[in-house]
Amino acid sequence: MSVEQNGVSRRTLIKGAALGGIGIAGGATVLSSCGSKASGPMSFGARTVDESPTKQLKGLVAAYEKKSGNKVTYNATESNAFQNNLSQYLQGTPDDAFQWMAGYRMQFFAEQGLLEDISDVWKDLESQYDNSYKIASTGLDGKQYFVPQSWYPWGLHYRKSMVKDLGLDPENIANFDDMIKMFDAMKKKGLVGFAAGDKGGWEAMGTFDIINARLNGYQFHVDLLAGREKWTDQRVIDVFAQWEKLLPYTNKNVLDLEWDGAMQLLLQKKAGSTLMGSWFGQNFKDKSQADYDDLWIVPFPEINPEHGVDTIDAPIDGFCVAANGSNTAVGKDFIKFAGDKEGMQAMLDTGVAMTSANKNQDTSTYDPFQKQQLNVMSQAKYITQFLDRDTRPDFAGPVVGPAIQSWYKNPKDVNKIVDSLQAQWEALPKL
Amino acid sequence: MNSTADNKNTTQVTRRRAFSPKDRLTLGVFIGVPTALHVLLVWIPAVATIGLSFTYWTGIHINDIRWAGFANYHNIFFSTPVFWQALKDNVIWLGWFGLIATPLGILLAYQIDRQIRGHAFFQTAYYIPVVLSLAVTGVIWNFMLRPDGFINGILGKDITNPISFFGDDRWNLYVILVMASWRHIGYIMLLYLAGLKAVDPALREAAALDGATEWETFKRIILPTMRPVNIIVLVITIIESLRAFDIVYIIYGTSGAQVPILGTLVFQNISGEGQSMKGAAYATILFLLSIGPIIAYLRTTFKEDVK
């Protein structure tokens, strides 16, 4: 008895009474299917505990609470831990809405029935997004499971003041060979030309992605990651050969530094450039506004004229609704708000740097670095997510990551490495 | 005859009296609850893991499980080179602990037991790391040895040319082993010290009177009398080497496979969207490797209790 009385919370009771006594738990779902506004408390799972993104997400949550009147509980988990536990989390009692990634990573969980189909949310959001975002939000069954929040391009980052002092102009380098000449000039000044970190095992995947796309084209790259091409292909070996040309200009301790180590090299003006996703702009901003204003990005230069600079890694982060959540209707309502121009604006208003995925976004408030990110992005015809989001997760992390690390240790082993990559791809169970 | 029968009767009576209904209940609870918990939390998951290692499974829906036979093991042994590397690292780990760390712990215990000057201080100093979990040990050493850490800092090396403690293949495993030994030595020392305290001083005196040297006394007298402790120390060394995980995980994270060991391979495959059944197969291999020493360990412990 008493349990039932507790089950009918004050809030549901009021809402229920308003609609002629529709009761307890099912209430919210029934309400939404009636076309009324979803209501009730919900919880949101953030995939970060860092200060800036937390501020940004709390801004979003506050704006949603204010608009809808629904109470949102904010739960934060450190991103690696969140990722490692996601399948257990989604099978248990997950938050109603949570932060996740587009592409393969989302599709895997959608296939397992752990994500809520949000195709109806997309009907409302469709006009605000380019089709490429919808494709990235779509599961293998053609339904949508994801709402984009932001993206960041992977490109060559450098400090404007440094290249100016050196008399270099990365913005007008025509191709790979010119880039090498630029690195050479940096090296002569005692700088690291091309800073890299790969201790985490994933960072250097971005370098593989871009060299492969520049050298062999978008189609070969996606075919390779989907298993339609072989890793033992001469073209893959060529990618590593091309990459090897960068090693004389790379710091020697690649396997000792994580992504933030490579970033530190640039921040401390010890390196001339680094290839990374622009998300770390916020780290520069946290250091000082002057450092942030000094930061710039250009696309990785052309290698093969046939492909120009037509491809870019631009991972999309965003939100999903958990199928096992206790209030999926409000969860959907929340991510609809998050994907809407209004929700995006609430996040931008927190002052934390972010490039919105929403095409209607007012970009006039963007700072020059953000505008440059848009510019870099617009030069690309094809957008890829990132190696660990574009291929099977059980291949990317456990196989490709260590393979690239062992290549760094001994680039001459390339034939052995690609043989092993192909053998391990073929050994994957057909799930 | 009669008296024997009577004796039997009395013992039976005493026994019956010893297990009154209340006693039985108490005993039932004291044995039953831990047994039930143990079976539920240890054996059922263990058996399920072994079962899973013979299947294909994404780790999500029970009805998606498909029988795979020995396919996962075949895959590990023949198509996953990192497994052999991990096994090699575990063997080196075992060799290091067995030949360097554990003997050092024993040596320290022996010295402290001989009451060398400042023994109380040394005992505390060496024991402190044992209080910390391996994860904390990893965090502390990471602060010290990172490219932008304390050691590189006082050497005046910036992050472009630091000493690469964790990134260089030639020694990173040994750096990790030094970190692990920091704690292991104290642990072994304490175990051994407890054993040494129990050795009858008369034995030592007798040996001294017979003109035995320190080394001879240790080899011929102390070591043999310490046999049960020796076995426990040996087993602990083997188990600690095989189950190593925390330190490597703290330093390299999930995907960083620069020092692959079996423990990290299990985790890497089970976490995220990995291949949980392959992780289960690694866990089973680890289980089979560990079970021998564990059985030996338990048998010694029980023998001690009976004595």
Side-chain angles (χ1 to χ4, degrees):
Chain A
M1 251 337 255
S2 70
V3 173
E4 228 162 81
Q5 272 166 357
N6 285 338
V8 188
S9 74
R10 193 163 36 88
R11 201 185 298 270
T12 6
L13 204 61
I14 298 162
K15 300 288 177 193
L19 273 177
I22 300 169
I24 20 185
T29 325
V30 178
L31 287 175
S32 87
S33 61
C34 291
S36 309
K37 191 131 181 38
S39 63
M42 65 160 285
S43 62
F44 170 69
R47 191 169 69 91
T48 179
V49 289
D50 295 341
E51 193 186 330
S52 298
T54 301
K55 192 173 149 201
Q56 188 177 58
L57 290 168
K58 288 206 161 155
L60 171 70
V61 164
Y64 177 73
E65 284 185 322
K66 200 171 158 214
K67 184 165 189 238
S68 66
N70 296 331
K71 174 100 185 67
V72 180
T73 313
Y74 183 92
N75 297 319
T77 313
E78 189 274 321
S79 76
N80 274 326
F82 188 87
Q83 204 163 317
N84 290 335
N85 294 326
L86 189 66
S87 57
Q88 283 77 18
Y89 166 82
L90 290 176
Q91 292 174 78
T93 49
D95 299 309
D96 301 300
F98 64 98
Q99 248 190 327
W100 193 232
M101 312 175 222
Y104 235 103
R105 308 303 290 266
M106 168 274 289
Q107 285 167 350
F108 174 82
F109 293 104
E111 277 295 283
Q112 304 299 326
L114 294 172
L115 302 182
E116 188 76 4
D117 169 16
I118 55 151
S119 303
D120 51 336
V121 169
W122 265 93
K123 285 203 180 73
D124 295 322
L125 290 177
E126 206 147 8
S127 63
Q128 302 186 37
Y129 284 90
D130 288 329
N131 200 43
S132 58
Y133 288 101
K134 189 174 176 186
I135 293 168
S137 306
T138 304
L140 299 173
D141 58 0
K143 294 171 182 163
Q144 282 75 46
Y145 293 94
F146 178 86
V147 165
Q149 171 199 9
S150 60
W151 54 269
Y152 47 84
W154 275 71
L156 207 56
H157 289 81
Y158 60 91
R159 301 185 67 134
K160 286 182 279 189
S161 65
M162 278 177 81
V163 294
K164 202 176 155 205
D165 289 349
L166 292 167
L168 299 168
D169 184 10
E171 241 168 319
N172 290 308
I173 44 175
N175 54 37
F176 192 88
D177 294 337
D178 281 3
M179 182 174 73
I180 294 290
K181 278 181 204 145
M182 179 177 85
F183 291 160
D184 222 26
M186 291 169 173
K187 195 180 178 181
K188 289 205 173 81
K189 297 278 174 194
L191 294 169
V192 171
F194 185 76
D198 194 33
K199 190 180 169 203
W202 58 269
E203 297 93 333
M205 290 174 182
T207 315
F208 178 86
D209 284 350
I210 202 70
I211 297 179
N212 193 23
R214 290 285 181 270
L215 194 62
N216 303 316
Y218 168 81
Q219 200 54 48
F220 177 77
H221 183 60
V222 293
D223 285 347
L224 175 69
L225 295 188
R228 292 186 292 269
E229 296 279 358
K230 286 193 184 329
W231 286 85
T232 44
D233 196 301
Q234 182 58 38
R235 285 172 285 184
V236 178
I237 296 170
D238 292 345
V239 169
F240 285 104
Q242 192 79 20
W243 194 347
E244 210 178 324
K245 294 178 190 167
L246 295 174
L247 293 184
Y249 309 102
T250 303
N251 43 304
K252 294 284 167 275
N253 55 342
V254 172
L255 297 181
D256 221 9
L257 299 181
E258 289 172 51
W259 69 268
D260 56 342
M263 179 201 75
Q264 282 296 332
L265 288 174
L266 186 63
L267 187 60
Q268 298 175 12
K269 301 193 180 181
K270 300 210 162 79
S273 78
T274 184
L275 178 77
M276 215 190 290
S278 289
W279 79 82
F280 72 93
Q282 187 58 43
N283 296 61
F284 270 54
K285 207 172 186 172
D286 290 343
K287 181 87 190 302
S288 83
Q289 186 64 36
D291 284 308
Y292 181 71
D293 291 341
D294 202 22
L295 183 63
W296 207 243
I297 175 179
V298 291
F300 193 84
E302 172 187 306
I303 297 175
N304 180 347
E306 196 188 325
H307 304 296
V309 289
D310 65 358
T311 308
I312 193 166
D313 257 342
I316 304 168
D317 288 336
F319 306 101
C320 291
V321 175
N324 289 348
S326 52
N327 200 347
T328 47
V330 178
K332 277 161 97 171
D333 192 49
F334 174 78
I335 67 168
K336 188 164 111 186
F337 177 78
D340 189 81
K341 206 178 125 185
E342 197 183 343
M344 292 282 186
Q345 195 57 50
M347 286 187 269
L348 290 169
D349 287 346
T350 58
V352 178
M354 172 183 107
T355 36
S356 164
N358 191 311
K359 74 174 175 192
N360 294 348
Q361 206 68 51
D362 175 17
T363 57
S364 64
T365 58
Y366 277 18
D367 56 52
F369 181 58
Q370 283 176 302
K371 283 185 181 152
Q372 176 66 3
Q373 290 176 45
L374 290 175
N375 178 29
V376 166
M377 187 80 160
S378 66
Q379 294 178 43
K381 201 160 103 199
Y382 305 107
I383 297 167
T384 47
Q385 290 293 309
F386 193 71
L387 195 144
D388 70 359
R389 304 184 186 194
D390 283 333
T391 190
R392 285 179 59 159
D394 50 2
F395 182 64
V399 180
V400 182
I404 294 178
Q405 285 178 332
S406 62
W407 176 79
Y408 265 116
K409 287 171 194 166
N410 199 350
K412 295 281 164 271
D413 277 351
V414 61
N415 288 307
K416 225 169 79 190
I417 289 166
V418 294
D419 286 350
S420 166
L421 278 167
Q422 186 58 31
Q424 294 192 68
W425 171 269
E426 279 159 17
L428 291 178
K430 311 283 173 280
L431 289 175
Chain B
M1 275 304 255
N2 254 348
S3 70
T4 339
D6 276 346
N7 270 349
K8 255 185 196 163
N9 260 343
T10 22
T11 39
Q12 270 169 4
V13 168
T14 350
R15 223 174 252 160
R16 218 174 280 140
R17 212 181 289 138
F19 293 99
S20 70
K22 205 176 159 192
D23 286 344
R24 267 187 214 151
L25 183 72
T26 318
L27 273 176
V29 171
F30 273 117
I31 297 171
V33 171
T35 308
L37 283 175
H38 187 73
V39 168
L40 190 72
L41 299 176
V42 177
W43 283 104
I44 291 179
V47 170
T49 304
I50 295 171
L52 265 184
S53 70
F54 295 101
T55 65
Y56 287 131
W57 193 38
T58 54
I60 294 178
H61 295 299
I62 298 285
N63 45 10
D64 282 349
I65 301 180
R66 280 183 296 115
W67 183 251
F70 281 93
N72 294 321
Y73 291 96
H74 188 272
N75 182 314
I76 287 171
F77 292 138
F78 300 106
S79 311
T80 316
V82 72
F83 167 73
W84 295 104
Q85 212 185 327
L87 197 64
K88 192 185 98 195
D89 285 355
N90 274 101
V91 170
I92 294 177
W93 198 298
L94 182 60
W96 176 283
F97 266 25
L99 299 175
I100 297 174
T102 301
L104 258 176
I106 293 174
L107 179 71
L108 287 176
Y110 192 73
Q111 296 297 344
I112 285 166
D113 188 53
R114 301 299 280 158
Q115 314 243 320
I116 54 161
R117 190 181 309 197
H119 64 94
F121 168 76
F122 287 122
Q123 184 174 347
T124 319
Y126 284 112
Y127 189 64
I128 283 175
V130 185
V131 184
L132 306 172
S133 79
L134 268 173
V136 177
T137 311
V139 172
I140 293 172
W141 282 82
N142 197 17
F143 275 125
M144 303 275 287
L145 302 181
R146 294 194 308 216
D148 53 349
F150 180 73
I151 300 284
N152 278 309
I154 54 169
L155 292 176
K157 298 200 174 252
D158 67 41
I159 53 170
T160 51
N161 66 337
I163 300 174
S164 178
F165 289 104
F166 299 129
D168 196 315
D169 250 9
R170 282 169 293 177
W171 54 66
N172 55 9
L173 175 60
Y174 298 96
V175 172
I176 299 280
L177 286 173
V178 168
M179 292 161 55
S181 308
W182 186 61
R183 184 172 175 278
H184 182 75
I185 289 173
Y187 186 24
I188 295 297
M189 180 200 76
L190 198 82
L191 274 176
Y192 220 76
L193 199 55
L196 284 171
K197 296 271 184 231
V199 173
D200 189 350
L203 288 173
R204 267 206 189 114
E205 266 169 49
L209 284 176
D210 288 345
T213 63
E214 194 80 9
W215 170 242
E216 275 170 343
T217 315
F218 180 73
K219 202 174 74 175
R220 301 262 166 96
I221 311 286
I222 311 291
L223 216 53
T225 29
M226 298 268 291
R227 198 178 160 273
V229 180
N230 292 339
I231 291 179
I232 289 172
V233 163
L234 183 73
V235 168
I236 282 178
T237 302
I238 295 171
I239 292 174
E240 291 275 323
S241 315
L242 290 173
R243 69 155 200 193
F245 168 75
D246 332 37
I247 282 196
V248 174
Y249 178 70
I250 291 289
I251 303 292
Y252 294 107
T254 322
S255 49
Q258 296 192 54
V259 177
I261 49 171
L262 293 173
T264 53
L265 291 184
V266 173
F267 183 76
Q268 194 181 59
N269 282 278
I270 286 177
S271 71
E273 310 103 297
Q275 305 175 24
S276 53
M277 69 288 167
K278 202 169 162 186
Y282 281 123
T284 306
I285 294 170
L286 200 51
F287 174 74
L288 290 176
L289 290 174
S290 320
I291 194 79
I294 290 173
I295 288 172
Y297 174 70
L298 289 180
R299 279 186 54 181
T300 329
T301 323
F302 282 135
K303 254 190 217 159
E304 279 303 285
D305 286 351
V306 171
K307 272 179 195 167

